[in-house]
Amino acid sequence: MAEHYKITFEPMGVQAKAPAGTSIYEAAGIINIPLRADCGGKGLCGKCRVIVDPPHNLSALTESELGIFSPDEIKRSYRLACQAQIQGDVTITIPEQMADSREARGKTGLRGKYPFDPMVERIGLQKDELPEPKDGILADGASWVAERATRVAGHEVFIEDLGALRQLSRPEAYEGEITLVNHLKRGITAVIPGNKSRSLGLAVDVGTTTLAAYLCDFHTGEVIASSASVNPQRRYGEDVISRIAMTDNREDGLAILQQIVVEGINYLLGRCVEEVGASAEDIDEVTLVGNTTMEQIFIGFHPHGLGVWPYLPVLSSPRDLRAEEVGLNLNPGTNVYLFPVISGFVGGDTVGAILAEKPFLRDEMCLIVDIGTNGELVLGNRDGLWATSCATGPALEGAQISCGMRAVSGAIHKVELDSRTGGPTWSVLGDDENIPPVGICGSGLIDAIAVMRKMGVLLPNGRLKEGMPGVICDENGVGREYVLVP
Amino acid sequence: MAEHYKITFEPMGVQAKAPAGTSIYEAAGIINIPLRADCGGKGLCGKCRVIVDPPHNLSALTESELGIFSPDEIKRSYRLACQAQIQGDVTITIPEQMADSREARGKTGLRGKYPFDPMVERIGLQKDELPEPKDGILADGASWVAERATRVAGHEVFIEDLGALRQLSRPEAYEGEITLVNHLKRGITAVIPGNKSRSLGLAVDVGTTTLAAYLCDFHTGEVIASSASVNPQRRYGEDVISRIAMTDNREDGLAILQQIVVEGINYLLGRCVEEVGASAEDIDEVTLVGNTTMEQIFIGFHPHGLGVWPYLPVLSSPRDLRAEEVGLNLNPGTNVYLFPVISGFVGGDTVGAILAEKPFLRDEMCLIVDIGTNGELVLGNRDGLWATSCATGPALEGAQISCGMRAVSGAIHKVELDSRTGGPTWSVLGDDENIPPVGICGSGLIDAIAVMRKMGVLLPNGRLKEGMPGVICDENGVGREYVLVP
């Protein structure tokens, strides 16, 4: 009998066993993972594309695959599920499914209009007039376009960005009207043929687990589209510490994590512009937040320093990047504003929350709590702010809790005070009403603590009150444990 | 009989005819072009690598080739000469021969010491001390390294370059001493692990026909190595006009020309550092000159505007580039100073000649003549300078001269005044003394004009003197032609 190998499918994280020679497509079928195969598995339609790791545990690339994939995609370990046959343990990532998983839902409800004051403007120029010589000398193309743009905009405009200059040099820019994207600090960042007045902004939130993107109309301040997906880095570790370890352990680790998160963002921005019938060249600025590790990986900084004392970020100030410096599929010079971070473990997402909630303008004390895979807390008011962070997902789901688990079937996800008995009641996740609890997930744990406080089992100083029902004492008579489910 | 196809070998420019199914290696043998084949043509050694155009006129890639070439090389149309079989007309470029052709000789004699005042310095830092908190807050890695560098250098040093920050973030930078490359205008451009005090500069001259590179020691001002090769763009046209036409006619034209000239420069810089036992990371700055078209293609600007009136360059001011913005194999942030150009057809190479000769400091009138494939003239003194340009190679070798030719066998390359007869004598290029002249090349033409002036055949106003021996008049009795060789 042929040897069986372990096939892990991401982003779902499910596994199958399959004998050598099975195609990825067949292996997915074993555990009911639907893959598209419009051509019936003949290697023609390219719809069943997946990313494999490690590539050498699969059969060689077939002629069909060489025809369908670009050399770059081959380098990035793309395969057709119907063509590649399993020859060893392998992890299969299904790019199309990235956006449909459960974790990504609930991140895209942020519609509405917001006050706005963009750093960018669009300036339309008519078909090139010929430059006027000054002192008998003709200007160069760059100073000539800057001069005309300054005249149209009514304020000083300059062009220095390499991507914008490259666009300006192209034959299309000589053919008729052109539209300039002018960043008030960086000058012209894009030169687009034609009269294109639409101007969009993209806000990106890079979470350890989830990516979210919001598309905003710079003429109205309205959020017109949003999209979320799993952070594809997840297959290299659930939390930031395991991602840092991965970059320390593999020479190509940082390059891989950087590339796949950018691919994920490109995928989301494509969905956003498609939703509103726009195109990527309509996006004039991107702002991006994330915890410090996520931001560093995105910009291509090795997160090594975040894993060793004194946990210093490379850069805490904000950074204006050019889209092509990180690989975003936009005009190459489009500005990407990376939020400043507060410390190695309090990132730009917290800065974003502070800017949104403005505790620094308030008299009353204010607590901002961001519970994600990592959690951040900000406490304070106009007199000052204190920020700190902790592991949240792992803390609530595993680390230091003997019965912690994720919010899946069997988890206690809700705890309430039974007014009749004065004791706790709990609910378990799952379709079957009588499913027995096998552990407790984050929301259950927070509920449990609240109920324990209400019952008086948990004292204000965090100690358990000895003698209360369910409290177990150690040999010295100190309350150490509380039994929620006997 | 199988159909025969035309095979053109570059950089030599020679052609062979071969039947379908012949390997490139065999075709090269037909006309005695030596290709290395250490493995005996089995596709194993990879020594017979060539670049083909168009790739579809050859047999499909073999397994050996898929094993030997990177996806990137495949994209760039690399083939093994022993594996690829001819199926249509094709141009074969032999990369290894680029540096050995005749045109490249004579460009590398520029040794010696020169006055120097580099824009870059190297700063060594001991193994990272831990940062001191300020107001209880720790700095970030970037400001901490800038602070330490400022202390060591004794003047303000900053770090902003993305490539340098990426290098600073890597684990190697935490392990011991590091060396910083500081550009006095752009800040730190490279962070190199270890104590590396060697500091080199590279000067590059991108000619239409020839590339030349000169390696300079920034501690002594000495030119320590140089290397030259054919400009690989030559296979797409001999002069700038045909290169511009190529970028206008092919969507990927600019990308191809940009990529191959950068590859050529990378090849030369590799040879230079190898010659002196240095490495590419020792190069702290590059300066580059070329005519305007060559400079624009190098930086990735489309030269379209140089082919249409009013022939404006995109940029006439100098430009500091980062090595990775153009693809040079150096530290990514290493500064590449691109010389300013004077106009669409008077480029940075002429600016370089002016800086070297300093006519702007002289009282006497001064004429600088740069005869290359394109020629430039600069006339003037401290009161002002006038510059212009013309096609030189084509003008002296073909265009407008019925008997013009290149300096090969059969060309009159020298004309002298025979003091005995008072008439001209001439010499013909070639091994055989009695070879008859078949045309005249550039040096012969310039000689001929000088001799005609001395003889009085050519008048100061450029007219031919009627009645002199050899002068042929038209029907109105005006001298129109002069017969050099009856």
Side-chain angles (χ1 to χ4, degrees):
Chain A
M1 200 183 114
E3 194 167 354
H4 277 62
Y5 295 108
K6 192 173 73 181
I7 326 297
T8 309
F9 288 91
E10 294 288 357
M12 303 75 104
V14 293
Q15 293 185 341
K17 287 260 177 197
T22 311
S23 75
I24 296 174
Y25 187 80
E26 292 161 342
I30 296 171
I31 47 171
N32 286 320
I33 291 179
L35 285 176
R36 285 183 68 179
D38 299 5
C39 67
K42 296 194 181 64
L44 300 174
C45 71
K47 289 285 190 289
C48 64
R49 54 180 58 202
V50 295
I51 301 165
V52 301
D53 182 42
H56 56 77
N57 276 351
L58 292 152
S59 56
L61 284 158
T62 64
E63 286 284 328
S64 323
E65 291 176 289
L66 287 170
I68 280 175
F69 293 121
S70 69
D72 188 48
E73 286 171 327
I74 291 173
K75 211 167 172 179
R76 279 147 56 201
S77 304
Y78 270 89
R79 295 298 303 264
L80 293 182
C82 67
Q83 299 290 303
Q85 294 176 353
I86 286 149
Q87 300 180 343
D89 292 350
V90 71
T91 297
I92 309 292
T93 301
I94 307 168
E96 295 302 317
Q97 304 244 346
M98 285 278 164
D100 300 320
S101 65
R102 194 183 51 203
E103 286 94 330
R105 288 177 215 153
K107 285 269 177 181
T108 55
L110 209 67
R111 296 294 171 97
K113 274 196 181 190
Y114 295 86
F116 67 109
D117 181 15
M119 279 293 280
V120 286
E121 61 180 351
R122 291 208 164 201
I123 302 168
L125 293 188
Q126 296 303 308
K127 180 163 163 44
D128 204 7
E129 315 150 33
L130 289 171
E132 297 138 27
K134 280 183 184 159
D135 304 327
I137 292 170
L138 284 169
D140 56 32
S143 53
W144 179 234
V145 83
E147 198 181 312
R148 295 175 63 212
T150 297
R151 231 183 291 143
V152 172
H155 58 83
E156 181 78 17
V157 175
F158 63 94
I159 180 166
E160 277 180 10
D161 183 82
L162 193 58
L165 288 167
R166 284 172 175 165
Q167 290 175 320
L168 178 67
S169 73
R170 297 202 60 82
E172 306 88 85
Y174 288 75
E175 280 161 16
E177 283 177 83
I178 54 174
T179 302
L180 310 174
V181 178
N182 185 41
H183 185 278
L184 300 179
K185 207 170 101 190
R186 288 192 34 226
I188 295 171
T189 58
V191 177
I192 304 165
N195 180 349
K196 304 279 178 66
S197 62
R198 196 163 195 175
S199 179
L200 305 175
L202 188 79
V204 179
D205 179 3
V206 179
T208 312
T209 303
T210 309
L211 302 180
Y214 307 89
L215 194 65
C216 176
D217 187 322
F218 275 161
H219 295 311
T220 64
E222 197 174 345
V223 174
I224 53 174
S226 57
S227 188
S229 79
V230 165
N231 183 337
Q233 295 174 342
R234 226 191 67 182
R235 66 175 182 271
Y236 295 104
E238 294 283 339
D239 54 27
V240 295
I241 299 301
S242 52
R243 309 269 169 88
I244 295 171
M246 188 271 201
T247 62
D248 273 336
N249 295 336
R250 281 179 68 160
E251 182 55 39
D252 59 354
L254 171 62
I256 290 173
L257 293 185
Q258 202 269 343
Q259 186 181 304
I260 62 180
V261 74
V262 167
E263 270 175 27
I265 297 168
N266 279 331
Y267 178 66
L268 293 184
L269 82 82
R271 279 165 53 115
C272 282
V273 294
E274 199 185 319
E275 190 180 325
V276 296
S279 84
E281 72 172 18
D282 299 331
I283 295 178
D284 290 343
E285 187 165 30
V286 176
T287 57
L288 188 140
V289 300
N291 64 54
T292 307
T293 304
M294 291 302 107
E295 286 200 11
Q296 285 210 179
I297 292 173
F298 171 76
I299 195 177
F301 292 164
H302 200 293
H304 175 78
L306 300 174
V308 295
W309 196 80
Y311 312 109
L312 280 195
V314 175
L315 210 61
S316 54
S317 46
R319 174 93 193 187
D320 285 310
L321 294 162
R322 305 172 56 248
E324 73 175 346
E325 289 177 327
V326 281
L328 290 179
N329 288 344
L330 300 168
N331 286 307
T334 293
N335 199 59
V336 179
Y337 177 85
L338 193 65
F339 263 57
V341 301
I342 295 171
S343 75
F345 283 92
V346 183
D349 46 356
T350 302
V351 176
I354 292 171
L355 282 178
E357 295 301 326
K358 300 191 175 41
F360 48 85
L361 297 180
R362 299 179 191 226
D363 287 323
E364 72 276 25
M365 284 299 272
C366 183
L367 178 68
I368 299 174
V369 183
D370 177 2
I371 304 188
T373 309
N374 294 277
E376 291 87 21
L377 296 172
V378 180
L379 178 71
N381 61 10
R382 63 169 74 250
D383 297 325
L385 295 170
W386 289 261
T388 190
S389 71
C390 58
T392 316
L396 294 176
E397 288 161 1
Q400 310 296 333
I401 311 173
S402 58
C403 297
M405 68 181 290
R406 302 185 128 216
V408 293
S409 190
I412 294 177
H413 70 115
K414 210 175 195 179
V415 180
E416 286 168 300
L417 188 63
D418 186 332
S419 54
R420 205 167 31 83
T421 66
T425 63
W426 30 263
S427 317
V428 174
L429 271 179
D431 296 333
D432 182 354
E433 266 189 31
N434 298 316
I435 198 165
V438 292
I440 186 164
C441 69
S443 58
L445 198 66
I446 290 173
D447 270 2
I449 290 167
V451 167
M452 286 160 71
R453 276 290 296 132
K454 283 184 189 158
M455 286 162 53
V457 165
L458 189 67
L459 299 172
N461 64 2
R463 280 190 57 176
L464 294 173
K465 186 164 180 189
E466 293 85 5
M468 291 285 284
V471 174
I472 297 174
C473 297
D474 65 11
E475 59 269 33
N476 301 316
V478 179
R480 292 294 186 196
E481 290 177 42
Y482 174 72
V483 180
L484 183 64
V485 180
Chain B
M1 200 183 115
E3 194 167 353
H4 278 62
Y5 295 108
K6 192 172 74 181
I7 325 298
T8 309
F9 287 92
E10 294 287 357
M12 304 75 105
V14 293
Q15 293 185 341
K17 286 260 176 197
T22 311
S23 75
I24 296 174
Y25 187 80
E26 292 161 342
I30 296 171
I31 48 172
N32 286 320
I33 291 179
L35 285 176
R36 285 183 67 180
D38 300 5
C39 67
K42 295 195 181 64
L44 301 174
C45 71
K47 289 285 190 290
C48 64
R49 54 180 59 203
V50 295
I51 301 165
V52 301
D53 182 43
H56 56 77
N57 276 351
L58 292 152
S59 56
L61 284 158
T62 64
E63 285 283 329
S64 322
E65 291 176 289
L66 287 171
I68 280 175
F69 293 120
S70 69
D72 189 48
E73 286 171 326
I74 291 173
K75 209 168 173 178
R76 280 147 55 201
S77 305
Y78 270 90
R79 295 299 303 265
L80 293 182
C82 67
Q83 299 290 302
Q85 294 176 354
I86 286 149
Q87 300 180 343
D89 292 350
V90 71
T91 297
I92 310 292
T93 301
I94 306 168
E96 294 303 317
Q97 304 243 345
M98 285 279 163
D100 300 320
S101 65
R102 195 183 51 202
E103 285 95 329
R105 287 177 216 152
K107 285 269 177 181
T108 54
L110 209 68
R111 297 294 171 97
K113 274 195 183 191
Y114 296 85
F116 67 110
D117 181 15
M119 279 293 280
V120 286
E121 61 180 352
R122 291 208 164 200
I123 302 167
L125 293 188
Q126 297 302 308
K127 180 163 163 45
D128 204 7
E129 314 150 33
L130 288 172
E132 297 138 26
K134 280 183 184 160
D135 303 328
I137 292 169
L138 284 169
D140 56 32
S143 54
W144 179 234
V145 83
E147 197 180 314
R148 295 175 64 212
T150 297
R151 231 183 290 142
V152 172
H155 58 83
E156 181 78 17
V157 175
F158 62 94
I159 180 166
E160 277 180 10
D161 183 82
L162 193 58
L165 288 167
R166 284 172 175 164
Q167 290 175 320
L168 178 66
S169 73
R170 298 203 60 82
E172 306 88 86
Y174 287 76
E175 280 162 15
E177 283 176 83
I178 55 174
T179 301
L180 310 174
V181 178
N182 185 41
H183 185 278
L184 299 179
K185 208 170 101 191
R186 288 192 34 226
I188 295 171
T189 59
V191 177
I192 304 165
N195 179 350
K196 304 279 179 67
S197 61
R198 195 162 196 176
S199 179
L200 305 175
L202 188 79
V204 179
D205 179 3
V206 180
T208 312
T209 303
T210 309
L211 302 180
Y214 307 89
L215 194 65
C216 176
D217 187 322
F218 275 160
H219 294 311
T220 64
E222 197 173 346
V223 174
I224 53 174
S226 57
S227 188
S229 79
V230 165
N231 183 337
Q233 294 174 343
R234 227 190 67 181
R235 66 176 183 270
Y236 296 104
E238 294 283 339
D239 54 27
V240 295
I241 299 300
S242 53
R243 309 269 169 88
I244 295 171
M246 188 272 201
T247 62
D248 273 337
N249 296 336
R250 282 179 68 160
E251 182 55 39
D252 59 354
L254 171 62
I256 290 173
L257 293 185
Q258 202 269 343
Q259 186 181 304
I260 62 180
V261 74
V262 167
E263 270 174 28
I265 297 168
N266 280 331
Y267 177 67
L268 293 185
L269 82 82
R271 279 165 52 117
C272 282
V273 294
E274 199 186 319
E275 190 180 324
V276 296
S279 84
E281 72 172 18
D282 299 332
I283 295 179
D284 290 344
E285 187 165 30
V286 176
T287 57
L288 188 139
V289 300
N291 64 53
T292 307
T293 304
M294 290 302 107
E295 286 199 11
Q296 285 210 180
I297 292 173
F298 171 76
I299 195 178
F301 292 164
H302 200 292
H304 175 78
L306 300 174
V308 295
W309 196 80
Y311 312 109
L312 280 195
V314 174
L315 209 62
S316 54
S317 46
R319 174 92 193 188
D320 284 310
L321 294 161
R322 305 173 55 248
E324 74 174 345
E325 289 177 326
V326 281
L328 290 180
N329 288 344
L330 300 168
N331 285 307
T334 293
N335 199 59
V336 179
Y337 177 85
L338 193 65
F339 263 57
V341 301
I342 295 171
S343 75
F345 283 92
V346 184
D349 46 356
T350 302
V351 176
I354 292 170
L355 282 178
E357 295 301 326
K358 300 190 176 43
F360 48 85
L361 297 180
R362 300 179 191 226
D363 287 322
E364 71 276 25
M365 284 299 273
C366 182
L367 178 68
I368 299 174
V369 183
D370 177 2
I371 304 188
T373 309
N374 294 276
E376 291 88 21
L377 296 172
V378 180
L379 178 71
N381 60 10
R382 63 169 74 250
D383 297 325
L385 295 170
W386 288 260
T388 190
S389 71
C390 58
T392 316
L396 294 176
E397 288 160 1
Q400 310 296 333
I401 311 173
S402 58
C403 297
M405 68 181 290
R406 301 184 129 216
V408 293
S409 190
I412 294 177
H413 70 115
K414 209 176 195 178
V415 180
E416 286 169 300
L417 188 63
D418 186 332
S419 53
R420 204 166 33 81
T421 66
T425 63
W426 30 263
S427 317
V428 175
L429 271 179
D431 296 333
D432 182 354
E433 265 189 32
N434 299 315
I435 197 164
V438 292
I440 186 164
C441 69
S443 58
L445 198 65
I446 290 173
D447 270 2
I449 290 167
V451 167
M452 286 159 72
R453 276 291 296 131
K454 282 184 190 158
M455 286 162 53
V457 165
L458 189 66
L459 298 172
N461 64 4
R463 280 190 57 175
L464 294 173
K465 186 165 180 188
E466 293 86 4
M468 291 285 283
V471 174
I472 297 174
C473 297
D474 65 11
E475 59 269 33
N476 301 316
V478 180
R480 292 295 186 195
E481 289 177 42
Y482 173 72
V483 179
L484 183 64
V485 180

